[in-house]
Amino acid sequence: MLSKHTKEGRNQIEMVALDELVPEDHLVRKVEQAIDFEFIYDLVEDKYCLDNGRPGIDPVVLIKMVFTQYLFGIRSMRQTIKEIETNVAYRWFIGYSFKEKIPHFSTFGKNYARRFHDTDLFEQIFYRILKEAMTKGLVDPSVVKANANKKKFEKKIARVETRTYQAQLDEEINIDREEHGKKPFPPQNKEESKEIKVSTTDPESGYYVKDEREKLFAYSFHTASDSRGFILGSLVTGGNVHDSRMLDKLVTQVTDKVGKPSSVAVDAGYKTPHIAKFLMDQEIRPVMPYTRPRTKDGYLKKYEYVYDEYFDSYLCPEGQILPYRTTTRDGYKQYASNPLECTDCPLLERCTQSKNHTKMIHRHVWQDYIDEVDHLRHTELNKTLYAKRKETIERVFADAKEKHGMRWTTLRGLKKVSMQAMLTFAAMNLKKLANWTWRGPCPA
């Protein structure tokens, strides 16, 4: 039967409480029940005057407004305010009545610039939420496009930053050279430099090149999660900083704030001798994937040359010994064949392109750690742990980009983008905490 609904309800006056209009299983109710936001007052107390000046916006309301944006993936604070004005659930969450005026969208921006800019407030909020999840027994690198035109840049000469482990590597290189009767390298005081592209829109972003089709200014979010998908820590850098340079700092941050992990699963970008050594020295089990040999098609693979640890030499498939020659400043030991024996070798065309018929093999001074990583890769425990990556950290970034607006940033500058990272991951942890601890509707 065809029926028509009248519009008289638009002007109908009813006695109703805001609480009655919010669904009992709405996410804001779950969040409100999962964590008490009163702790924010203690974090910001020194940023406000307690007995003088005009009354400001409640800091808890400010933070809840921001969480509303990141929990529901709203693209900007301006749009968030519009949503709060018309959405009764959002009004209920920040504690505002039907007719109470919502703060202007610039309010948070002004408070950030004047009060929170040079503080660790958002990091403290992130770890407070994580601590709440740990208390309840729940807790067991992605690229974000910068708000910058990739065609607007200028080329500059920048100093190449020294690797954090360079002093340790230099020491072990010289020890190795002395053991082989070589002179140690003198200290290198010369600074290296290189030409880089710097955005004129956001100079703190980095020029990220994935392939020929994807070149843009971006930020890298180096992030760690646990086996249940809770984010444990994050560091933000320009997109031109390689993943492997940040893992030791990230693991140290997680160890200091949360606790030392028993194992760390990473992708192929982190499979370097330094990271393997760092994790094993920390008594953390490294879980790394298989990496294909980078040898050209048709040539013998490196694993076809057998390393003899006792004699510190390599043995080629035809039985020739490649003895030690030297150790380079980059930390690689060189092993070279005898060109007189290689000249008539039947495998010469598949072995080397050298004009003087010399096969050269390089082995890092920390290669033993990589060999141990490859050995552990075949164990059932490592296979199980590595399989969890797609269910945890990969899903974290997928959800962050698809549901929480982290595919790109509208903010500029490393500090502001770091704030976005902390708030996004805090919102994701809070959402998981709220859903997993939900026990029913909270009282009005």
Side-chain angles (χ1 to χ4, degrees):
M1 177 180 172
L2 178 65
S3 61
K4 293 184 179 181
H5 188 74
T6 64
K7 299 178 182 178
E8 294 176 359
R10 290 180 175 178
N11 299 315
Q12 186 174 343
I13 298 176
E14 293 186 20
M15 293 290 291
V16 61
L18 187 63
D19 185 75
E20 297 177 51
L21 302 178
V22 182
E24 291 185 352
D25 61 347
H26 198 285
L27 179 59
V28 294
R29 284 191 183 273
K30 297 177 182 180
V31 169
E32 192 70 18
Q33 184 172 298
I35 191 167
D36 185 358
F37 285 92
E38 296 290 312
F39 72 90
I40 291 173
Y41 293 122
D42 295 331
L43 298 181
V44 302
E45 186 176 10
D46 61 331
K47 306 300 178 186
Y48 289 82
C49 182
L50 301 180
D51 57 359
N52 191 20
R54 188 173 58 182
I57 303 296
D58 187 332
V60 171
V61 171
L62 284 177
I63 299 302
K64 281 189 172 183
M65 284 165 50
V66 176
F67 269 120
T68 301
Q69 177 182 352
Y70 287 98
L71 279 169
F72 297 98
I74 304 172
R75 68 177 183 269
S76 66
M77 181 54 69
R78 185 191 296 259
Q79 185 62 33
T80 301
I81 296 302
K82 290 182 179 179
E83 295 289 340
I84 294 175
E85 287 174 343
T86 58
N87 190 310
V88 292
Y90 297 167
R91 276 184 174 271
W92 179 92
F93 182 52
I94 67 172
Y96 274 47
S97 64
F98 279 117
K99 291 191 173 183
E100 203 167 352
K101 185 175 176 59
I102 305 299
H104 193 263
F105 68 82
S106 66
T107 304
F108 176 77
K110 294 296 184 183
N111 276 270
Y112 171 81
R114 296 168 182 170
R115 289 191 172 98
F116 311 141
H117 181 60
D118 290 319
T119 70
D120 61 348
L121 171 64
F122 306 106
E123 185 176 353
Q124 289 190 65
I125 292 173
F126 170 83
Y127 281 109
R128 177 56 183 261
I129 294 171
L130 184 60
K131 181 181 178 182
E132 196 72 25
M134 293 170 65
T135 303
K136 290 180 167 59
L138 296 177
V139 173
D140 192 31
S142 183
V143 173
V144 179
K145 295 178 184 178
N147 184 13
N149 189 330
K150 64 182 179 181
K151 296 181 181 180
K152 292 184 178 181
F153 63 86
E154 55 186 8
K155 293 183 178 181
K156 291 185 177 180
I157 301 298
R159 181 177 63 85
V160 176
E161 289 190 20
T162 305
R163 292 172 290 193
T164 55
Y165 57 90
Q166 190 63 51
Q168 181 185 10
L169 179 60
D170 289 343
E171 181 181 351
E172 297 207 20
I173 289 171
N174 284 335
I175 291 174
D176 184 80
R177 287 180 63 85
E178 290 175 350
E179 289 177 351
H180 287 90
K182 304 282 185 181
K183 291 183 179 179
F185 287 121
Q188 192 174 24
N189 299 320
K190 182 181 178 181
E191 289 188 351
E192 295 183 45
S193 60
K194 63 179 181 180
E195 185 179 77
I196 61 172
K197 292 181 178 179
V198 179
S199 170
T200 56
T201 311
D202 185 358
E204 291 186 298
S205 63
Y207 194 67
Y208 172 75
V209 180
K210 184 175 183 180
D211 50 43
E212 286 300 316
R213 293 174 296 176
E214 189 171 0
K215 299 178 181 179
L216 68 158
F217 287 102
Y219 287 96
S220 289
F221 286 20
H222 309 272
T223 307
S225 74
D226 75 338
S227 61
R228 294 186 176 183
F230 279 93
I231 297 103
L232 303 179
S234 183
L235 296 172
V236 181
T237 65
N240 55 353
V241 177
H242 194 270
D243 299 346
S244 61
R245 288 184 173 241
M246 300 304 299
L247 185 116
D248 52 349
K249 296 179 182 177
L250 183 59
V251 171
T252 301
Q253 181 193 77
V254 171
T255 301
D256 292 342
K257 299 286 187 178
V258 182
K260 188 173 80 171
S262 59
S263 59
V264 172
V266 297
D267 62 21
Y270 294 93
K271 192 176 181 180
T272 66
H274 162 63
I275 289 178
K277 173 178 168 56
F278 169 77
L279 293 176
M280 289 185 182
D281 287 349
Q282 299 291 319
E283 297 183 346
I284 298 173
R285 187 186 186 95
V287 182
M288 300 181 181
Y290 167 76
T291 49
R292 291 181 295 177
R294 295 181 176 87
T295 312
K296 290 182 179 180
D297 291 340
Y299 285 85
L300 296 173
K301 305 293 189 291
K302 186 177 179 179
Y303 61 76
E304 297 183 71
Y305 299 83
V306 180
Y307 177 67
D308 188 324
E309 185 177 356
Y310 182 80
F311 291 103
D312 191 22
S313 62
Y314 274 90
L315 192 68
C316 83
E318 286 295 305
Q320 186 190 158
I321 296 175
L322 282 71
Y324 169 87
R325 173 178 283 186
T326 188
T327 303
T328 68
R329 191 179 282 276
D330 292 327
Y332 285 93
K333 298 160 74 173
Q334 293 181 348
Y335 300 83
S337 65
N338 185 344
L340 298 177
E341 295 184 26
C342 291
T343 302
D344 299 322
C345 178
L347 296 179
L348 179 61
E349 296 299 322
R350 296 179 54 205
C351 180
T352 179
Q353 292 178 309
S354 171
K355 291 182 180 180
N356 63 356
H357 303 159
T358 301
K359 173 64 179 178
M360 188 82 71
I361 295 180
H362 294 80
R363 179 183 178 87
H364 199 277
V365 293
W366 293 335
Q367 180 63 34
D368 290 342
Y369 293 95
I370 291 291
D371 292 342
E372 180 61 21
V373 164
D374 286 332
H375 168 71
L376 292 172
R377 180 172 58 83
H378 296 286
T379 64
E380 289 301 319
L381 177 57
N382 274 44
K383 291 178 181 178
T384 302
L385 291 173
Y386 193 75
K388 273 191 165 290
R389 284 193 72 256
K390 63 178 179 290
E391 303 170 9
T392 52
I393 192 64
E394 298 294 350
R395 181 175 291 176
V396 164
F397 280 116
D399 286 348
K401 290 181 177 181
E402 292 297 323
K403 301 177 182 178
H404 300 275
M406 212 178 73
R407 189 170 295 280
W408 58 80
T409 178
T410 58
L411 304 175
R412 292 173 182 168
L414 190 61
K415 287 187 177 180
K416 288 186 177 180
V417 176
S418 297
M419 176 200 72
Q420 178 186 357
M422 285 289 101
L423 287 172
T424 300
F425 293 140
M428 293 175 68
N429 280 350
L430 182 56
K431 188 175 181 179
K432 190 184 290 287
L433 171 66
N435 282 322
W436 286 16
T437 59
W438 176 243
R439 293 291 181 268
C442 57

